[in-house]
Amino acid sequence: MVDRSHDLSQPLETLHANEQLKAESGFLRGHIADGLADPLTGAVPGDDPLLMKFHGIYQQDDRDVRGSRKRRRLEPVYQFMVRLRIPGGALETTQWQGIDRLSRRYAERGIRITTRQTIQLHGVRKPNLRALMQGIRDLGLDTVAACGDDSRGVVCGSNPHLSRAHRRVAELARATSDRLIPRTRAYREIWYQASVSSTSATSSDAAVVDSVSEDPVYGPLYLPRKFKVGYAIPPVNDIDVYGQDLGLIAIVEEGELQGFNVCVGGGMGQLDTREDSYPRLAEQVGFIEADEAPAFAEQVMAIQRDYGDRQDRHRARFKYTLDTHGTDWFLGELARRRGKPLAMARAFHFAHNGDRLGWQQGDDNLWHATLYVDSGRVDGALRDQMAALLQQYGGRLRLTTNQNLQLTHVEAAERDQLQWRLDDLGLGWRLEPDRQAAHTLSCVALPTCGLAMAEAERITPNLMQRFSALKRRHGIGDLPITLRIAGCPNGCSRPYLAEVALTGRAPGLYNLYLGGSFQGHRLARMVAGNVSEEAALELLDPLFARFSTQRREDEHFGDFLVRKQLLGTISPSHDH
Protein backbone atom coordinates (compact mmCIF):
# COMPACT_ATOMS: atom_id res chain seq x y z
CA MET A 1 0.00 0.00 0.00
CA VAL A 2 1.35 3.43 -0.94
CA ASP A 3 1.80 5.83 1.99
CA ARG A 4 0.35 9.17 0.87
CA SER A 5 -0.76 10.45 4.24
CA HIS A 6 0.69 13.92 3.63
CA ASP A 7 -0.96 14.54 0.26
CA LEU A 8 -3.90 16.43 1.72
CA SER A 9 -2.71 17.03 5.29
CA GLN A 10 -3.48 20.73 4.79
CA PRO A 11 -6.65 22.30 3.41
CA LEU A 12 -6.37 22.52 -0.37
CA GLU A 13 -7.14 26.25 -0.38
CA THR A 14 -4.01 26.92 1.71
CA LEU A 15 -1.70 25.31 -0.83
CA HIS A 16 0.02 26.96 -3.78
CA ALA A 17 -2.19 27.63 -6.80
CA ASN A 18 -0.32 24.97 -8.79
CA GLU A 19 -1.26 22.39 -6.19
CA GLN A 20 -4.91 23.37 -6.44
CA LEU A 21 -4.74 23.18 -10.22
CA LYS A 22 -3.33 19.65 -10.11
CA ALA A 23 -5.93 18.50 -7.58
CA GLU A 24 -8.76 19.78 -9.76
CA SER A 25 -7.30 18.67 -13.10
CA GLY A 26 -8.87 15.22 -13.30
CA PHE A 27 -5.44 13.61 -13.16
CA LEU A 28 -3.81 16.00 -15.63
CA ARG A 29 -6.70 16.28 -18.10
CA GLY A 30 -7.89 19.80 -17.37
CA HIS A 31 -9.33 21.29 -20.55
CA ILE A 32 -6.34 20.46 -22.74
CA ALA A 33 -8.40 18.69 -25.38
CA ASP A 34 -10.73 21.69 -25.71
CA GLY A 35 -7.77 24.06 -26.01
CA LEU A 36 -6.25 21.97 -28.80
CA ALA A 37 -9.50 22.24 -30.73
CA ASP A 38 -9.83 26.03 -30.35
CA PRO A 39 -9.04 27.50 -33.82
CA LEU A 40 -9.07 31.15 -32.68
CA THR A 41 -5.69 31.07 -30.93
CA GLY A 42 -2.32 29.42 -31.40
CA ALA A 43 -2.16 28.85 -27.66
CA VAL A 44 -3.80 26.46 -25.25
CA PRO A 45 -5.72 28.92 -23.03
CA GLY A 46 -5.93 29.26 -19.27
CA ASP A 47 -3.88 27.17 -16.87
CA ASP A 48 -3.74 24.11 -19.11
CA PRO A 49 -0.18 24.85 -20.33
CA LEU A 50 0.93 24.06 -16.77
CA LEU A 51 -0.73 20.66 -17.00
CA MET A 52 0.74 20.04 -20.45
CA LYS A 53 4.21 20.04 -18.90
CA PHE A 54 3.38 16.68 -17.32
CA HIS A 55 2.77 15.46 -20.88
CA GLY A 56 6.23 16.64 -21.94
CA ILE A 57 5.11 19.87 -23.64
CA TYR A 58 5.95 23.53 -22.97
CA GLN A 59 3.94 26.35 -24.49
CA GLN A 60 6.28 29.11 -25.68
CA ASP A 61 6.35 32.04 -28.08
CA ASP A 62 9.00 33.60 -30.30
CA ARG A 63 10.45 36.31 -28.07
CA ASP A 64 12.42 37.83 -30.93
CA VAL A 65 9.15 39.18 -32.34
CA ARG A 66 7.09 39.44 -29.15
CA GLY A 67 7.51 43.20 -28.78
CA SER A 68 6.73 44.09 -32.38
CA ARG A 69 3.63 41.92 -32.40
CA LYS A 70 2.42 43.44 -29.16
CA ARG A 71 2.77 46.94 -30.62
CA ARG A 72 0.69 45.81 -33.60
CA ARG A 73 -1.85 44.23 -31.22
CA LEU A 74 -1.21 40.78 -32.61
CA GLU A 75 -1.17 37.53 -30.67
CA PRO A 76 2.34 36.25 -29.84
CA VAL A 77 3.73 33.63 -32.21
CA TYR A 78 2.77 30.72 -30.00
CA GLN A 79 4.60 27.47 -30.50
CA PHE A 80 5.40 24.43 -28.40
CA MET A 81 8.49 22.59 -27.28
CA VAL A 82 8.05 18.82 -27.11
CA ARG A 83 10.55 16.88 -24.99
CA LEU A 84 10.88 13.13 -25.40
CA ARG A 85 11.44 10.59 -22.63
CA ILE A 86 14.58 8.62 -23.54
CA PRO A 87 15.93 6.87 -20.41
CA GLY A 88 19.71 6.78 -20.54
CA GLY A 89 19.67 8.46 -23.94
CA ALA A 90 19.66 5.13 -25.82
CA LEU A 91 18.14 5.12 -29.31
CA GLU A 92 17.94 2.74 -32.22
CA THR A 93 19.08 4.15 -35.55
CA THR A 94 15.53 3.84 -36.89
CA GLN A 95 14.21 5.90 -33.98
CA TRP A 96 16.61 8.75 -34.72
CA GLN A 97 15.63 8.59 -38.38
CA GLY A 98 11.98 8.77 -37.37
CA ILE A 99 12.61 11.74 -35.08
CA ASP A 100 14.43 13.43 -37.94
CA ARG A 101 11.42 12.97 -40.24
CA LEU A 102 9.05 14.29 -37.58
CA SER A 103 11.26 17.30 -36.87
CA ARG A 104 11.39 18.24 -40.55
CA ARG A 105 7.62 18.03 -40.81
CA TYR A 106 6.46 19.54 -37.54
CA ALA A 107 9.32 21.40 -35.76
CA GLU A 108 10.75 24.71 -36.94
CA ARG A 109 14.10 24.58 -35.11
CA GLY A 110 15.44 21.11 -35.83
CA ILE A 111 16.52 18.59 -33.20
CA ARG A 112 18.15 19.56 -29.90
CA ILE A 113 20.00 17.16 -27.62
CA THR A 114 19.50 18.29 -24.02
CA THR A 115 21.62 18.18 -20.89
CA ARG A 116 19.29 15.46 -19.60
CA GLN A 117 20.15 13.07 -22.40
CA THR A 118 17.00 13.43 -24.42
CA ILE A 119 15.67 15.35 -27.43
CA GLN A 120 13.60 18.51 -27.62
CA LEU A 121 11.69 19.57 -30.72
CA HIS A 122 11.14 23.34 -30.80
CA GLY A 123 8.71 25.40 -32.84
CA VAL A 124 5.79 22.99 -33.05
CA ARG A 125 2.48 24.71 -33.86
CA LYS A 126 -0.70 23.70 -32.05
CA PRO A 127 -2.48 22.10 -35.05
CA ASN A 128 0.48 19.71 -35.41
CA LEU A 129 0.84 18.66 -31.79
CA ARG A 130 -1.37 15.59 -31.80
CA ALA A 131 0.08 14.28 -35.08
CA LEU A 132 3.60 14.72 -33.69
CA MET A 133 2.75 12.91 -30.47
CA GLN A 134 1.28 10.01 -32.38
CA GLY A 135 4.33 9.92 -34.62
CA ILE A 136 6.53 9.68 -31.53
CA ARG A 137 4.36 6.82 -30.26
CA ASP A 138 4.83 4.97 -33.54
CA LEU A 139 8.59 5.06 -32.95
CA GLY A 140 8.16 3.26 -29.62
CA LEU A 141 8.80 6.46 -27.67
CA ASP A 142 6.76 8.91 -25.62
CA THR A 143 7.00 12.22 -23.79
CA VAL A 144 5.43 11.20 -20.47
CA ALA A 145 6.91 13.10 -17.51
CA ALA A 146 9.61 14.81 -19.54
CA CYS A 147 8.46 17.98 -17.74
CA GLY A 148 6.18 18.78 -14.79
CA ASP A 149 6.07 17.99 -11.08
CA ASP A 150 7.12 14.37 -11.41
CA SER A 151 10.18 12.24 -11.97
CA ARG A 152 11.95 13.69 -14.99
CA GLY A 153 13.69 11.51 -17.54
CA VAL A 154 16.24 9.30 -15.79
CA VAL A 155 19.80 9.92 -16.99
CA CYS A 156 22.56 7.35 -17.17
CA GLY A 157 26.26 8.08 -17.49
CA SER A 158 28.26 6.83 -20.42
CA ASN A 159 31.40 4.80 -19.84
CA PRO A 160 32.13 2.70 -22.93
CA HIS A 161 35.24 1.26 -21.28
CA LEU A 162 32.95 -0.64 -18.87
CA SER A 163 30.51 -1.95 -21.45
CA ARG A 164 29.21 -4.92 -19.45
CA ALA A 165 28.55 -2.86 -16.36
CA HIS A 166 27.19 0.00 -18.47
CA ARG A 167 24.58 -2.29 -20.03
CA ARG A 168 23.33 -3.33 -16.58
CA VAL A 169 23.22 0.26 -15.29
CA ALA A 170 21.37 1.36 -18.44
CA GLU A 171 18.80 -1.40 -17.89
CA LEU A 172 18.25 -0.22 -14.33
CA ALA A 173 17.94 3.39 -15.48
CA ARG A 174 15.19 2.40 -17.92
CA ALA A 175 13.43 0.31 -15.28
CA THR A 176 13.61 3.26 -12.89
CA SER A 177 12.15 5.62 -15.47
CA ASP A 178 9.29 3.23 -16.25
CA ARG A 179 8.55 2.78 -12.56
CA LEU A 180 8.51 6.49 -11.69
CA ILE A 181 6.41 7.98 -14.50
CA PRO A 182 2.78 8.98 -13.91
CA ARG A 183 0.14 6.36 -14.80
CA THR A 184 -2.78 8.65 -15.64
CA ARG A 185 -4.86 7.65 -18.66
CA ALA A 186 -5.06 11.34 -19.64
CA TYR A 187 -1.97 11.02 -21.82
CA ARG A 188 -3.48 8.32 -24.04
CA GLU A 189 -6.88 9.93 -24.10
CA ILE A 190 -5.65 13.38 -25.17
CA TRP A 191 -2.82 12.56 -27.55
CA TYR A 192 -3.75 9.15 -28.95
CA GLN A 193 -7.50 9.80 -28.65
CA ALA A 194 -7.86 6.43 -26.98
CA SER A 195 -11.15 5.58 -25.31
CA VAL A 196 -11.29 5.51 -21.54
CA SER A 197 -11.68 1.73 -21.56
CA SER A 198 -8.81 1.14 -23.98
CA THR A 199 -6.04 -1.03 -22.55
CA SER A 200 -4.19 -2.01 -25.69
CA ALA A 201 -0.50 -2.29 -24.94
CA THR A 202 2.37 -0.77 -26.89
CA SER A 203 5.96 -0.05 -25.94
CA SER A 204 4.99 3.51 -24.97
CA ASP A 205 1.85 2.64 -22.98
CA ALA A 206 3.13 4.26 -19.82
CA ALA A 207 -0.39 5.50 -19.05
CA VAL A 208 -2.28 2.19 -18.80
CA VAL A 209 -3.34 1.94 -15.15
CA ASP A 210 -5.45 -0.16 -12.84
CA SER A 211 -9.08 0.64 -12.15
CA VAL A 212 -8.53 1.61 -8.52
CA SER A 213 -6.55 4.82 -8.96
CA GLU A 214 -5.42 6.94 -11.84
CA ASP A 215 -2.00 7.43 -10.26
CA PRO A 216 -1.42 5.10 -7.32
CA VAL A 217 2.09 6.41 -6.58
CA TYR A 218 1.61 10.11 -7.25
CA GLY A 219 -1.96 10.73 -6.13
CA PRO A 220 -3.93 13.80 -7.27
CA LEU A 221 -1.23 16.31 -6.25
CA TYR A 222 1.74 14.58 -7.88
CA LEU A 223 5.06 15.97 -6.55
CA PRO A 224 5.68 19.43 -5.09
CA ARG A 225 8.27 20.04 -7.85
CA LYS A 226 10.33 18.07 -10.36
CA PHE A 227 12.50 15.18 -9.15
CA LYS A 228 15.67 14.23 -11.03
CA VAL A 229 17.30 10.80 -10.87
CA GLY A 230 20.68 10.00 -12.39
CA TYR A 231 23.06 7.04 -12.60
CA ALA A 232 26.80 7.76 -12.82
CA ILE A 233 29.53 5.27 -13.77
CA PRO A 234 32.96 6.22 -12.35
CA PRO A 235 35.48 7.45 -13.19
CA VAL A 236 33.22 9.58 -15.45
CA ASN A 237 30.82 12.01 -13.73
CA ASP A 238 29.24 13.16 -17.00
CA ILE A 239 25.74 13.38 -15.49
CA ASP A 240 26.95 15.68 -12.67
CA VAL A 241 25.61 13.25 -10.09
CA TYR A 242 25.91 15.79 -7.26
CA GLY A 243 23.35 17.97 -9.01
CA GLN A 244 20.64 15.26 -8.95
CA ASP A 245 17.81 14.96 -6.44
CA LEU A 246 18.78 11.30 -6.26
CA GLY A 247 22.16 10.24 -7.59
CA LEU A 248 23.27 6.62 -7.84
CA ILE A 249 27.00 6.05 -8.30
CA ALA A 250 27.83 2.65 -9.77
CA ILE A 251 30.35 0.59 -7.82
CA VAL A 252 32.07 -1.68 -10.32
CA GLU A 253 34.61 -4.31 -9.28
CA GLU A 254 36.45 -6.43 -11.85
CA GLY A 255 33.99 -5.29 -14.50
CA GLU A 256 30.89 -6.37 -12.55
CA LEU A 257 28.30 -4.02 -11.04
CA GLN A 258 28.14 -4.48 -7.26
CA GLY A 259 25.59 -1.80 -6.40
CA PHE A 260 25.32 1.95 -5.95
CA ASN A 261 26.46 4.63 -3.57
CA VAL A 262 23.48 6.88 -2.86
CA CYS A 263 23.56 10.69 -3.04
CA VAL A 264 20.53 12.81 -2.18
CA GLY A 265 19.45 16.44 -2.31
CA GLY A 266 21.30 17.97 -5.23
CA GLY A 267 19.73 20.75 -7.25
CA MET A 268 20.90 23.55 -9.52
CA GLY A 269 17.99 25.99 -9.65
CA GLN A 270 17.88 29.20 -7.66
CA LEU A 271 16.30 32.63 -7.61
CA ASP A 272 18.73 35.54 -7.51
CA THR A 273 16.11 37.60 -5.67
CA ARG A 274 15.81 35.28 -2.64
CA GLU A 275 18.52 34.54 -0.09
CA ASP A 276 16.78 31.29 0.87
CA SER A 277 17.10 30.00 -2.70
CA TYR A 278 20.38 28.34 -3.62
CA PRO A 279 22.05 25.52 -5.55
CA ARG A 280 22.99 22.53 -3.45
CA LEU A 281 25.30 19.54 -3.77
CA ALA A 282 23.86 16.10 -3.18
CA GLU A 283 25.33 14.40 -0.12
CA GLN A 284 26.44 10.79 -0.07
CA VAL A 285 24.48 8.77 2.49
CA GLY A 286 25.13 5.06 1.88
CA PHE A 287 25.08 2.06 -0.44
CA ILE A 288 22.38 -0.20 -1.91
CA GLU A 289 22.44 -3.44 -3.90
CA ALA A 290 22.07 -3.04 -7.65
CA ASP A 291 18.71 -4.77 -8.11
CA GLU A 292 17.10 -2.59 -5.45
CA ALA A 293 17.67 0.65 -7.36
CA PRO A 294 14.29 1.18 -9.14
CA ALA A 295 12.22 0.45 -6.02
CA PHE A 296 14.63 2.48 -3.90
CA ALA A 297 14.21 5.47 -6.20
CA GLU A 298 10.44 5.27 -5.70
CA GLN A 299 10.87 5.19 -1.92
CA VAL A 300 13.05 8.30 -1.93
CA MET A 301 10.73 10.11 -4.32
CA ALA A 302 7.76 9.19 -2.11
CA ILE A 303 9.39 10.89 0.88
CA GLN A 304 9.66 14.08 -1.17
CA ARG A 305 6.06 13.63 -2.31
CA ASP A 306 4.86 13.37 1.28
CA TYR A 307 7.02 16.02 2.94
CA GLY A 308 7.96 18.56 0.24
CA ASP A 309 6.72 22.15 0.61
CA ARG A 310 3.41 22.62 -1.22
CA GLN A 311 2.85 26.22 -0.17
CA ASP A 312 6.08 27.97 -1.20
CA ARG A 313 6.84 26.65 -4.67
CA HIS A 314 10.30 28.21 -4.68
CA ARG A 315 11.19 26.06 -1.67
CA ALA A 316 9.56 22.87 -2.92
CA ARG A 317 12.56 20.97 -4.31
CA PHE A 318 13.94 17.95 -2.44
CA LYS A 319 17.09 19.85 -1.42
CA TYR A 320 14.97 22.20 0.71
CA THR A 321 13.04 19.28 2.23
CA LEU A 322 16.33 17.81 3.40
CA ASP A 323 17.61 21.13 4.71
CA THR A 324 14.32 21.74 6.55
CA HIS A 325 14.03 18.31 8.20
CA GLY A 326 17.68 17.26 8.32
CA THR A 327 19.60 14.34 6.87
CA ASP A 328 19.23 12.23 10.03
CA TRP A 329 15.45 12.58 9.81
CA PHE A 330 15.54 11.55 6.16
CA LEU A 331 17.68 8.48 6.86
CA GLY A 332 15.31 7.44 9.63
CA GLU A 333 12.24 7.86 7.44
CA LEU A 334 13.96 5.99 4.62
CA ALA A 335 14.92 3.12 6.94
CA ARG A 336 11.31 2.91 8.15
CA ARG A 337 10.03 2.56 4.58
CA ARG A 338 12.78 0.16 3.48
CA GLY A 339 12.71 -1.89 6.64
CA LYS A 340 16.48 -1.48 7.09
CA PRO A 341 19.14 1.25 7.11
CA LEU A 342 21.53 1.94 4.27
CA ALA A 343 24.84 0.12 4.12
CA MET A 344 28.12 2.02 4.27
CA ALA A 345 29.18 3.79 1.08
CA ARG A 346 32.06 2.25 -0.86
CA ALA A 347 35.18 3.79 -2.36
CA PHE A 348 35.23 5.20 -5.91
CA HIS A 349 36.93 7.94 -7.91
CA PHE A 350 35.71 10.56 -10.39
CA ALA A 351 38.19 11.96 -12.92
CA HIS A 352 36.05 14.51 -14.78
CA ASN A 353 32.50 15.53 -15.68
CA GLY A 354 32.83 16.02 -19.44
CA ASP A 355 32.56 13.67 -22.41
CA ARG A 356 35.52 11.85 -23.88
CA LEU A 357 35.18 12.67 -27.54
CA GLY A 358 36.48 10.42 -30.29
CA TRP A 359 36.90 6.64 -30.40
CA GLN A 360 36.82 4.41 -27.33
CA GLN A 361 36.78 0.62 -27.06
CA GLY A 362 34.75 -1.20 -24.45
CA ASP A 363 35.57 -4.32 -22.48
CA ASP A 364 33.34 -6.20 -24.93
CA ASN A 365 35.73 -5.18 -27.76
CA LEU A 366 33.08 -3.03 -29.44
CA TRP A 367 33.90 0.56 -30.40
CA HIS A 368 32.07 3.79 -29.62
CA ALA A 369 32.54 7.15 -31.33
CA THR A 370 31.46 10.32 -29.51
CA LEU A 371 30.72 13.26 -31.82
CA TYR A 372 30.70 16.85 -30.62
CA VAL A 373 27.41 18.69 -31.26
CA ASP A 374 27.42 22.47 -30.76
CA SER A 375 25.02 23.14 -27.86
CA GLY A 376 23.24 19.92 -28.84
CA ARG A 377 21.65 21.59 -31.89
CA VAL A 378 21.18 19.24 -34.86
CA ASP A 379 19.82 21.37 -37.69
CA GLY A 380 20.73 22.55 -41.16
CA ALA A 381 23.82 20.89 -42.61
CA LEU A 382 24.45 18.71 -39.56
CA ARG A 383 20.97 17.23 -39.71
CA ASP A 384 21.48 16.37 -43.39
CA GLN A 385 24.93 14.92 -42.69
CA MET A 386 23.53 12.73 -39.91
CA ALA A 387 20.69 11.56 -42.13
CA ALA A 388 23.18 10.51 -44.81
CA LEU A 389 25.42 8.77 -42.27
CA LEU A 390 22.61 6.72 -40.76
CA GLN A 391 21.53 5.38 -44.13
CA GLN A 392 24.56 3.09 -43.98
CA TYR A 393 25.14 2.79 -40.23
CA GLY A 394 24.03 -0.41 -38.53
CA GLY A 395 24.94 0.39 -34.93
CA ARG A 396 23.04 2.19 -32.18
CA LEU A 397 23.02 5.72 -30.79
CA ARG A 398 23.37 7.26 -27.36
CA LEU A 399 22.72 10.86 -26.40
CA THR A 400 25.01 12.25 -23.70
CA THR A 401 24.24 14.63 -20.86
CA ASN A 402 26.84 16.97 -22.34
CA GLN A 403 24.68 17.37 -25.47
CA ASN A 404 26.80 15.15 -27.70
CA LEU A 405 26.00 12.08 -29.79
CA GLN A 406 27.60 8.64 -29.57
CA LEU A 407 27.69 6.00 -32.29
CA THR A 408 27.82 2.79 -30.27
CA HIS A 409 28.28 -0.97 -30.67
CA VAL A 410 30.58 -0.69 -33.67
CA GLU A 411 32.40 -3.92 -34.60
CA ALA A 412 36.19 -3.65 -34.97
CA ALA A 413 35.95 -4.60 -38.64
CA GLU A 414 33.51 -1.72 -39.23
CA ARG A 415 35.46 1.02 -37.47
CA ASP A 416 37.67 2.09 -40.38
CA GLN A 417 34.74 2.12 -42.78
CA LEU A 418 32.69 4.26 -40.39
CA GLN A 419 35.63 6.65 -39.94
CA TRP A 420 35.95 7.04 -43.72
CA ARG A 421 32.24 7.72 -43.94
CA LEU A 422 32.43 10.36 -41.20
CA ASP A 423 35.32 12.04 -43.00
CA ASP A 424 33.54 11.95 -46.37
CA LEU A 425 30.48 13.65 -44.87
CA GLY A 426 32.51 16.35 -43.13
CA LEU A 427 31.81 14.92 -39.67
CA GLY A 428 35.27 13.64 -38.82
CA TRP A 429 36.35 16.84 -37.06
CA ARG A 430 33.57 16.32 -34.53
CA LEU A 431 35.60 13.46 -33.06
CA GLU A 432 38.46 15.87 -32.26
CA PRO A 433 37.15 19.45 -32.04
CA ASP A 434 38.68 22.29 -30.03
CA ARG A 435 39.73 20.83 -26.67
CA GLN A 436 37.39 23.24 -24.91
CA ALA A 437 34.33 21.99 -26.77
CA ALA A 438 33.98 18.77 -24.78
CA HIS A 439 33.70 20.77 -21.56
CA THR A 440 31.28 23.53 -22.63
CA LEU A 441 27.50 23.50 -22.13
CA SER A 442 24.71 25.98 -22.77
CA CYS A 443 20.95 26.02 -22.37
CA VAL A 444 18.43 26.99 -25.08
CA ALA A 445 17.56 30.41 -23.61
CA LEU A 446 16.33 32.99 -26.14
CA PRO A 447 14.29 33.17 -28.27
CA THR A 448 12.01 30.36 -27.06
CA CYS A 449 12.51 29.78 -23.34
CA GLY A 450 10.07 31.87 -21.34
CA LEU A 451 12.44 32.03 -18.35
CA ALA A 452 15.50 33.28 -20.21
CA MET A 453 16.83 36.70 -19.22
CA ALA A 454 19.84 36.65 -21.56
CA GLU A 455 21.30 34.71 -24.46
CA ALA A 456 23.04 31.36 -23.99
CA GLU A 457 23.01 28.91 -26.92
CA ARG A 458 23.25 31.60 -29.59
CA ILE A 459 26.31 33.29 -28.02
CA THR A 460 28.14 30.08 -27.08
CA PRO A 461 30.10 29.50 -30.33
CA ASN A 462 31.62 33.00 -30.28
CA LEU A 463 32.15 33.05 -26.52
CA MET A 464 33.86 29.64 -26.57
CA GLN A 465 36.19 30.80 -29.36
CA ARG A 466 37.19 33.89 -27.36
CA PHE A 467 37.53 31.81 -24.20
CA SER A 468 39.80 29.34 -26.02
CA ALA A 469 41.83 32.18 -27.56
CA LEU A 470 42.38 33.67 -24.10
CA LYS A 471 43.57 30.29 -22.83
CA ARG A 472 46.01 29.96 -25.75
CA ARG A 473 47.38 33.44 -25.11
CA HIS A 474 48.41 32.27 -21.66
CA GLY A 475 49.76 28.91 -22.84
CA ILE A 476 46.97 26.80 -21.35
CA GLY A 477 45.03 26.11 -24.54
CA ASP A 478 45.29 22.33 -24.14
CA LEU A 479 44.07 22.34 -20.54
CA PRO A 480 40.31 21.71 -20.34
CA ILE A 481 38.21 24.04 -18.17
CA THR A 482 34.50 23.43 -17.64
CA LEU A 483 32.51 26.36 -19.05
CA ARG A 484 28.74 26.64 -18.70
CA ILE A 485 26.42 29.36 -20.03
CA ALA A 486 22.83 29.73 -18.81
CA GLY A 487 20.21 32.28 -19.84
CA CYS A 488 18.80 32.52 -16.31
CA PRO A 489 19.60 31.31 -12.76
CA ASN A 490 17.56 28.09 -13.06
CA GLY A 491 20.59 26.03 -14.00
CA CYS A 492 19.54 23.79 -16.92
CA SER A 493 23.16 23.77 -18.12
CA ARG A 494 24.35 22.93 -14.59
CA PRO A 495 26.38 26.16 -14.27
CA TYR A 496 26.95 26.02 -10.52
CA LEU A 497 29.12 22.91 -10.90
CA ALA A 498 31.41 24.48 -13.49
CA GLU A 499 34.87 25.95 -13.10
CA VAL A 500 33.63 29.00 -15.05
CA ALA A 501 29.96 29.86 -15.56
CA LEU A 502 27.74 32.71 -16.68
CA THR A 503 24.08 32.90 -15.63
CA GLY A 504 21.81 35.43 -17.30
CA ARG A 505 20.54 38.50 -15.47
CA ALA A 506 19.36 40.78 -18.30
CA PRO A 507 20.06 41.11 -22.03
CA GLY A 508 23.85 41.14 -22.35
CA LEU A 509 24.47 40.88 -18.59
CA TYR A 510 25.45 37.84 -16.51
CA ASN A 511 26.57 36.74 -13.08
CA LEU A 512 30.06 35.22 -13.22
CA TYR A 513 30.69 32.08 -11.18
CA LEU A 514 34.13 30.54 -10.62
CA GLY A 515 35.72 27.72 -8.67
CA GLY A 516 33.63 24.61 -9.29
CA SER A 517 35.63 21.42 -9.64
CA PHE A 518 36.61 19.62 -12.83
CA GLN A 519 35.13 16.45 -11.30
CA GLY A 520 31.81 18.16 -10.52
CA HIS A 521 31.91 17.74 -6.73
CA ARG A 522 32.21 21.39 -5.62
CA LEU A 523 29.92 24.36 -6.16
CA ALA A 524 31.18 27.45 -7.95
CA ARG A 525 31.00 30.83 -6.22
CA MET A 526 29.58 34.04 -7.66
CA VAL A 527 32.44 36.52 -7.98
CA ALA A 528 30.91 39.30 -10.09
CA GLY A 529 27.38 40.41 -10.87
CA ASN A 530 25.81 42.01 -13.93
CA VAL A 531 28.87 41.71 -16.17
CA SER A 532 29.00 41.59 -19.95
CA GLU A 533 30.75 38.79 -21.87
CA GLU A 534 33.65 41.18 -22.49
CA ALA A 535 33.92 42.08 -18.81
CA ALA A 536 33.84 38.42 -17.81
CA LEU A 537 36.77 37.66 -20.11
CA GLU A 538 38.64 40.67 -18.72
CA LEU A 539 38.19 39.29 -15.21
CA LEU A 540 39.44 35.87 -16.32
CA ASP A 541 42.54 37.27 -18.05
CA PRO A 542 44.72 37.83 -14.94
CA LEU A 543 43.44 34.61 -13.36
CA PHE A 544 44.50 32.61 -16.43
CA ALA A 545 47.87 34.37 -16.28
CA ARG A 546 48.45 33.25 -12.69
CA PHE A 547 47.13 29.76 -13.40
CA SER A 548 49.58 29.44 -16.29
CA THR A 549 52.63 30.14 -14.14
CA GLN A 550 51.61 29.04 -10.63
CA ARG A 551 49.57 25.88 -11.10
CA ARG A 552 50.72 22.54 -9.78
CA GLU A 553 51.20 19.55 -12.04
CA ASP A 554 47.82 18.13 -13.13
CA GLU A 555 45.99 20.86 -11.16
CA HIS A 556 42.72 22.08 -12.63
CA PHE A 557 41.64 25.72 -12.84
CA GLY A 558 38.87 25.50 -10.23
CA ASP A 559 41.16 23.75 -7.74
CA PHE A 560 43.84 26.37 -8.36
CA LEU A 561 41.45 29.22 -7.62
CA VAL A 562 40.42 27.60 -4.35
CA ARG A 563 43.98 26.71 -3.29
CA LYS A 564 45.26 30.23 -3.98
CA GLN A 565 42.17 31.78 -2.35
CA LEU A 566 41.50 33.92 -5.43
CA LEU A 567 37.71 33.73 -5.36
CA GLY A 568 37.53 36.50 -2.79
CA THR A 569 39.67 38.91 -4.81
CA ILE A 570 36.70 40.03 -6.93
CA SER A 571 33.80 41.68 -5.15
CA PRO A 572 30.47 39.85 -5.79
CA SER A 573 28.85 43.25 -6.25
CA HIS A 574 31.45 44.44 -8.75
CA ASP A 575 29.60 45.81 -11.78
CA HIS A 576 30.97 46.44 -15.27
Side-chain angles (χ1 to χ4, degrees), residues 66-244:
R66 181 189 288 178
S68 64
R69 291 185 67 84
K70 183 176 181 180
R71 288 191 296 271
R72 294 155 58 198
R73 299 184 180 180
L74 296 174
E75 181 179 77
V77 181
Y78 287 115
Q79 51 196 265
F80 295 82
M81 180 271 281
V82 177
R83 181 183 294 153
L84 279 67
R85 183 177 69 96
I86 308 176
L91 285 173
E92 298 294 334
T93 300
T94 53
Q95 289 177 316
W96 177 279
Q97 291 171 321
I99 292 168
D100 183 20
R101 289 192 298 270
L102 292 171
S103 73
R104 292 173 189 268
R105 184 171 183 179
Y106 299 122
E108 297 175 5
R109 299 193 69 219
I111 296 169
R112 193 178 197 277
I113 302 170
T114 80
T115 56
R116 287 205 67 77
Q117 211 169 18
T118 187
I119 284 172
Q120 292 180 176
L121 300 177
H122 290 259
V124 181
R125 301 303 175 103
K126 186 173 76 171
N128 296 325
L129 269 176
R130 189 172 275 132
L132 172 60
M133 300 290 274
Q134 293 177 10
I136 292 170
R137 172 202 60 192
D138 294 343
L139 297 174
L141 300 168
D142 59 50
T143 67
V144 176
C147 322
D149 299 341
D150 44 35
S151 169
R152 297 294 180 88
V154 176
V155 296
C156 175
S158 171
N159 189 346
H161 292 296
L162 296 173
S163 298
R164 286 183 298 164
H166 184 279
R167 281 195 297 273
R168 181 61 181 139
V169 176
E171 290 170 356
L172 290 168
R174 178 170 289 278
T176 303
S177 175
D178 291 342
R179 183 171 186 130
L180 298 187
I181 59 175
R183 304 289 170 181
T184 172
R185 291 187 296 267
Y187 187 87
R188 284 175 47 83
E189 292 171 16
I190 294 170
W191 304 111
Y192 306 160
Q193 295 181 295
S195 64
V196 174
S197 60
S198 173
T199 58
S200 60
T202 70
S203 60
S204 61
D205 268 356
V208 176
V209 298
D210 59 44
S211 60
V212 176
S213 170
E214 284 271 353
D215 254 322
V217 171
Y218 283 97
L221 295 184
Y222 293 85
L223 298 183
R225 288 294 294 271
K226 59 188 173 185
F227 189 86
K228 296 182 176 182
V229 179
Y231 288 80
I233 308 174
V236 184
N237 184 22
D238 50 354
I239 72 160
D240 278 326
V241 70
Y242 299 108
Q244 310 290 328

